[in-house]
Amino acid sequence: MLPVDLPGTVRDALLAPLVDHHCHGVRRDDLSRAQFELLSGEGGSPAPPGTTHFDTPFGAAVRRWCAPLLDLEPHAPPAVYLARRTELGAGEVNRRLLTGAGVVAFLVDATPDTHPDTHPDNHTATYGTAHTATYGTTHTTAQTATYGTTHTDGRLAPFGGAHADGHIAPFGGAHADGHIAPHGPAHATASGAGHADLFGDAHAAIRAARHADPDADHADPHAAPRTDPRADSRTDPRADPRADSRAGFAADLDVLTAAEMGRHGGAAADELVRIEHIEQDVAATAELAVDYLDNLADELAARAARAVGLKTVIGARCGLDFDPARPSRGAVIAAANRRLSDPKGVLTDHVLLRYLLWSAIDVARERGLPVQFHTGFGGRTGEPHRADPARLSAFAAALQPLGVPVILLHCYPYHRQAAHLAGVFPHVYVDVGLAPPHGTAAAARVMDELLELAPFHKQLFSSGCRGLAETGYLGALTYRRALAAALGARIEAGEWSASDAARVAHMIGSGNARRIYRL
């Protein structure tokens, strides 16, 4: 799995269980190709006609690294991969991939996917009719026997030992209560690297897929399948271009909860609370501005009591260059009255967004919680440059006396600016979240550049997992590979000792998150 030869202590540190300090639930239901492709991109839009999201860095990584965990050879064609995914079922796929990520604790943004903040500033229905007709029906003719040998219980064990209940322990040792030991033994065979001998001959599956579509040999092997005009929409809802539209946005509710993420991944799980979601709920029920303000304070406190951290997407709503001062009481009441005239709309009023944020800061300070800020890459915003975390400098300075930890999520392509802030302010922390799995070719460079400036005790790991279990698995895999390359280069150059590199890997992978979130 790791791209370089490293001392054993460093390898063990990189393969040790991670704390994924920011992720979302994954879908519990079987997905059509249209749904899978839309969830595989951060923009939430279909690929242009005649193309596919499998022709992206993320799509290539799915075929290379996720295919072996589904008993396929690396680089399996998209149609074969999706057929096998359907054959196994969402529950088994989620279990294999989330367990394979080797995570000991998931911190989950539990905001329902129907909420408009789920993809910042992307408020359209996810699976509209116009998208479905592009992809049509996925055939599932490949059979289990095609894929060769698995373990005796019929499941892959990517990292070794199993729990007493039969669930796989990603990295070995487990506590008596079924939780994974934080630093149990790890195996170099993780993540499917070098496992081609386990997965048999996938060519039969490819032939099966081609048999289902006799023109497959002459088509783009990565392109989405055409709609079959012979399909009977009365018996196969996937053949009906209206089917996904009817499911529409409501289908996004079908995601794993934080607790279910933990059970599927063989890990502990805690919740992160998105403050804009709380505001939306309060606005929908309040009748007067005074009620709105009182209820907002009460709800923030109540939900924070059950969480390990708070999160905001204010950057997507008004940019990170907002006025850092607390708004006046009069301005807030006037803005609240405006808000209650349209309580179902997305909150974009700068005064209320600032008031909400400062209210959350007060709660975080009282309860000793960190506050996560979505920055940089991820979602679809109208002005991407306003997601540059450097624009938070004034606000970060205003928070310094309060001591509330500020966590900058994702950051790419502004990770150097984020690293600078983490070095300047004692309460600012940083990760590069979504960058490694969605920009695999640049992952090692991004991690190397983060290590240039950011103190090692200020860096965290997150997968940014959302919708597809593949995002969680690839987030962990590409992070480990990227950090391995960066550490290997420093060891080879004589800049760091092996013990230094191992200590940094432990800090970034889990130690820093345990300290900041008090896990």
Side-chain angles (χ1 to χ4, degrees):
M1 180 183 79
L2 301 180
V4 292
D5 187 25
L6 295 166
T9 56
V10 180
R11 177 175 290 273
D12 289 345
L14 287 165
L15 294 177
L18 303 170
V19 173
D20 189 343
H21 85 109
H22 173 252
C23 62
H24 303 260
V26 301
R27 292 282 291 262
R28 70 172 77 250
D29 52 333
D30 294 326
L31 301 175
S32 68
R33 178 161 183 162
Q35 292 170 322
F36 184 94
E37 292 220 13
L38 285 170
L39 288 169
S40 70
E42 279 299 304
S45 298
T51 68
T52 171
H53 281 315
F54 275 98
D55 286 335
T56 62
F58 179 81
V62 166
R63 295 173 50 239
R64 167 58 184 94
W65 298 108
C66 297
L69 267 69
L70 304 193
D71 311 333
L72 297 171
E73 291 184 355
H75 313 294
V80 174
Y81 181 85
L82 293 174
R84 177 59 173 163
R85 202 181 194 278
T86 300
E87 182 183 38
L88 287 172
E92 178 65 7
V93 169
N94 290 342
R95 188 195 62 77
R96 292 189 184 194
L97 292 171
L98 293 178
T99 300
V103 170
V104 72
F106 294 100
L107 307 189
V108 184
D109 177 353
T111 304
D113 278 3
T114 51
H115 195 268
D117 287 325
T118 302
H119 271 244
D121 280 1
N122 182 17
H123 312 310
T124 56
T126 307
Y127 306 126
T129 302
H131 304 337
T132 307
T134 304
Y135 302 103
T137 303
T138 301
H139 298 283
T140 56
T141 56
Q143 299 186 10
T144 305
T146 303
Y147 302 97
T149 305
T150 59
H151 292 278
T152 55
D153 63 354
R155 297 178 295 179
L156 294 178
F159 291 93
H163 296 295
D165 62 359
H167 288 137
I168 296 169
F171 290 91
H175 296 295
D177 62 357
H179 288 134
I180 299 170
H183 301 293
H187 300 291
T189 57
S191 303
H195 284 14
D197 57 317
L198 292 181
F199 304 118
D201 179 11
H203 296 298
I206 298 171
R207 288 194 295 272
R210 285 177 173 169
H211 178 73
D213 181 359
D215 295 328
D217 283 321
H218 306 290
D220 180 351
H222 294 180
R226 301 181 300 277
T227 301
D228 184 353
R230 299 164 295 180
D232 186 349
S233 63
R234 293 170 296 179
T235 58
D236 184 358
R238 291 174 300 174
D240 181 356
R242 297 168 297 176
D244 284 335
S245 178
R246 285 195 298 265
F249 216 46
D252 278 352
L253 282 173
D254 213 8
V255 298
L256 301 183
T257 64
E260 289 172 325
M261 287 284 288
R263 286 198 293 271
H264 278 70
D270 289 288
E271 288 194 12
L272 303 166
V273 174
R274 191 181 306 187
I275 63 174
E276 290 81 8
H277 183 210
I278 297 175
E279 189 281 335
Q280 193 83 34
D281 291 345
V282 169
T285 58
E287 296 182 358
L288 301 174
V290 174
D291 295 336
Y292 170 86
L293 299 182
D294 289 344
N295 294 347
L296 187 58
D298 292 343
E299 279 299 304
L300 281 169
R303 299 197 196 183
R306 304 189 296 268
V308 295
L310 304 179
K311 177 185 172 182
T312 177
V313 292
I314 190 172
R317 299 296 188 88
C318 68
L320 296 176
D321 50 356
F322 56 86
D323 182 350
R326 289 180 185 261
S328 68
R329 177 84 174 170
V332 170
I333 291 176
N337 282 319
R338 294 192 300 270
R339 172 63 169 156
L340 295 181
S341 68
D342 182 22
K344 295 183 179 180
V346 176
L347 178 63
T348 57
D349 186 286
H350 288 210
V351 172
L352 282 187
L353 285 168
R354 288 163 50 213
Y355 175 78
L356 174 64
L357 179 56
W358 275 108
S359 298
I361 293 297
D362 292 338
V363 171
R365 183 187 185 191
E366 179 181 345
R367 301 197 64 85
L369 300 178
V371 179
Q372 299 180 344
F373 285 76
H374 190 289
T375 73
F377 181 75
R380 185 170 61 189
T381 60
E383 298 178 280
H385 65 284
R386 299 186 68 193
D388 183 346
R391 296 173 180 266
L392 270 179
S393 296
F395 185 74
L399 285 190
Q400 184 171 347
L402 304 180
V404 174
V406 170
I407 317 292
L408 304 177
L409 300 175
H410 309 316
C411 301
Y412 183 80
Y414 309 110
H415 51 287
R416 282 182 162 175
Q417 290 93 315
H420 171 68
L421 291 182
V424 169
F425 294 108
H427 60 301
V428 174
Y429 299 81
V430 62
D431 79 15
V432 289
L434 293 170
H438 287 274
T440 52
R445 174 176 53 80
V446 170
M447 187 62 68
D448 190 68
E449 290 173 348
L450 195 65
L451 290 170
E452 288 177 1
L453 283 175
F456 312 134
H457 58 274
K458 295 292 200 71
Q459 300 182 42
L460 301 162
F461 160 74
S462 78
S463 67
C465 172
R466 179 199 301 278
L468 301 175
E470 284 85 351
T471 59
Y473 176 71
L474 289 176
L477 172 74
T478 54
Y479 156 78
R480 286 186 171 103
R481 289 175 58 82
L483 185 57
L487 297 180
R490 284 161 172 76
I491 293 172
E492 185 177 1
E495 297 176 11
W496 291 8
S497 68
S499 61
D500 287 336
R503 188 164 52 86
V504 168
H506 276 300
M507 280 194 288
I508 301 175
S510 63
N512 294 339
R514 291 178 184 278
R515 184 183 75 253
I516 297 163
Y517 294 96
R518 300 187 297 178
L519 301 178

